Amino acid sequence: TKDNVFVNVTVTIMFKVLEGSLKQAFYELSMPDQQLQSYVLNNVRAQIPKYELDQLFVAKDEIAKTLKTELEHEMNQFGYTIVQTLITDIDPDHTVKRAMNEINAAQRLRVAAHDKAEAEKLAVVKAAEADAESKRLSGVGLAEQRKAIILGLHDSIRMFTSNTNITQMEVMELLLMNQYFDTLKEMTAASKATTVFIPHNPDAVNNIGGQIRQGLLEAGQVVKKVD
């Protein structure tokens, strides 16, 4: 071939005697098979070096067509016609075939590695998008939860102060203490929670209540000074 690769080419020739040329075919050419073989070998050896190996597989039909035309020209003068010319096989050297298989395998591995990388990239991107959406929805849910808590506290304070003699400060203290105990309950209810407990006793609850009262008093005084 053009790229210096040796190949074995199998060519099939179908021919017959022209109608009315039986005498010519019998007397003018004693061994048509050998003569035809010589023409084929000469023509194929002239055509193959024009192509590189990869091109040769694509151009085999064109080579067969050219071969048929030239054989028709040579054999018609002896009373024969060419019915069909086929190149049935192109067999490169074993070493070349192995190299071609390795090149093909390397190309496929490269494509597979690229596709795998793209799939992993897509998975990472989708996971990041899902995480961002999850955090956004979590933030929306937390905001709605806090809004509901505020509205609930507002309604509770208004109900207590309108129906009893309890002041708003006392109601706030009660609600905050209730929330404190709810928090302790949730911490103990989670079986897999990693929680660090500090020393806790009933006096600590009183201290918390006192701290809440003191904070509310100081906040009230600050509001009065501002007014």
Side-chain angles (χ1 to χ4, degrees), residues 150-189:
I150 292 172
L151 292 175
L153 290 174
H154 177 268
D155 293 339
S156 299
I157 292 172
R158 185 175 60 182
M159 182 183 67
F160 269 96
T161 55
S162 62
N163 296 329
T164 62
N165 295 326
I166 301 176
T167 63
Q168 291 185 0
M169 186 178 298
E170 291 173 336
V171 173
M172 284 293 297
E173 181 181 347
L174 176 62
L175 292 175
L176 290 173
M177 290 295 295
N178 186 51
Q179 186 175 1
Y180 171 75
F181 284 114
D182 287 341
T183 302
L184 292 179
K185 180 179 178 181
E186 290 178 1
M187 290 169 61
T188 56

Side-chain angles (χ1 to χ4, degrees), residues 132-146:
E133 181 66 12
S134 175
K135 290 180 179 178
R136 186 186 71 82
L137 294 176
S138 177
V140 172
L142 183 60
E144 293 293 331
Q145 180 185 15
R146 289 176 177 175

Side-chain angles (χ1 to χ4, degrees), residues 199-218:
H200 187 270
N201 54 55
D203 291 336
V205 178
N206 292 329
N207 292 335
I208 293 172
Q211 293 175 11
I212 293 174
R213 285 191 297 272
Q214 184 64 28
L216 291 174
L217 288 172
E218 292 177 357

Side-chain angles (χ1 to χ4, degrees), residues 46-218:
Q47 293 292 327
I48 297 299
K50 296 179 180 180
Y51 302 92
E52 294 183 355
L53 180 60
D54 292 337
Q55 298 171 343
L56 185 60
F57 288 96
V58 179
K60 67 177 185 177
D61 291 337
E62 180 181 349
I63 296 173
K65 183 178 179 181
T66 302
L67 177 61
K68 182 177 184 296
T69 302
E70 294 191 9
L71 288 178
E72 282 277 1
H73 175 71
E74 296 293 339
M75 298 300 291
N76 281 350
Q77 59 184 327
F78 299 112
Y80 290 93
T81 182
I82 306 301
V83 178
Q84 186 60 272
T85 303
L86 299 173
I87 296 179
T88 57
D89 187 29
I90 299 175
D91 186 23
D93 182 74
H94 177 71
T95 305
V96 176
K97 287 194 291 185
R98 184 173 60 187
M100 292 175 64
N101 290 333
E102 290 177 355
I103 292 172
N104 189 30
Q107 291 176 344
R108 293 180 182 274
L109 288 173
R110 184 165 61 249
V111 172
H114 180 269
D115 291 344
K116 182 180 179 182
E118 287 294 329
E120 291 177 351
K121 175 184 175 182
L122 181 61
V124 171
V125 171
K126 290 299 182 182
E129 291 177 352
D131 183 62
E133 181 66 12
S134 175
K135 290 180 179 178
R136 186 186 71 82
L137 294 176
S138 177
V140 172
L142 183 60
E144 293 293 331
Q145 180 185 15
R146 289 176 177 175
K147 180 180 178 180
I149 291 173
I150 292 172
L151 292 175
L153 290 174
H154 177 268
D155 293 339
S156 299
I157 292 172
R158 185 175 60 182
M159 182 183 67
F160 269 96
T161 55
S162 62
N163 296 329
T164 62
N165 295 326
I166 301 176
T167 63
Q168 291 185 0
M169 186 178 298
E170 291 173 336
V171 173
M172 284 293 297
E173 181 181 347
L174 176 62
L175 292 175
L176 290 173
M177 290 295 295
N178 186 51
Q179 186 175 1
Y180 171 75
F181 284 114
D182 287 341
T183 302
L184 292 179
K185 180 179 178 181
E186 290 178 1
M187 290 169 61
T188 56
S191 60
K192 296 183 179 180
T194 55
T195 306
V196 178
F197 286 93
I198 59 176
H200 187 270
N201 54 55
D203 291 336
V205 178
N206 292 329
N207 292 335
I208 293 172
Q211 293 175 11
I212 293 174
R213 285 191 297 272
Q214 184 64 28
L216 291 174
L217 288 172
E218 292 177 357

Side-chain angles (χ1 to χ4, degrees), residues 2-20:
K2 190 175 182 180
D3 49 354
N4 299 320
V5 178
F6 289 94
V7 294
N8 294 319
V9 180
T10 303
V11 181
T12 300
I13 306 295
M14 291 177 283
F15 65 99
K16 67 179 182 178
V17 176
L18 286 169
E19 186 176 355

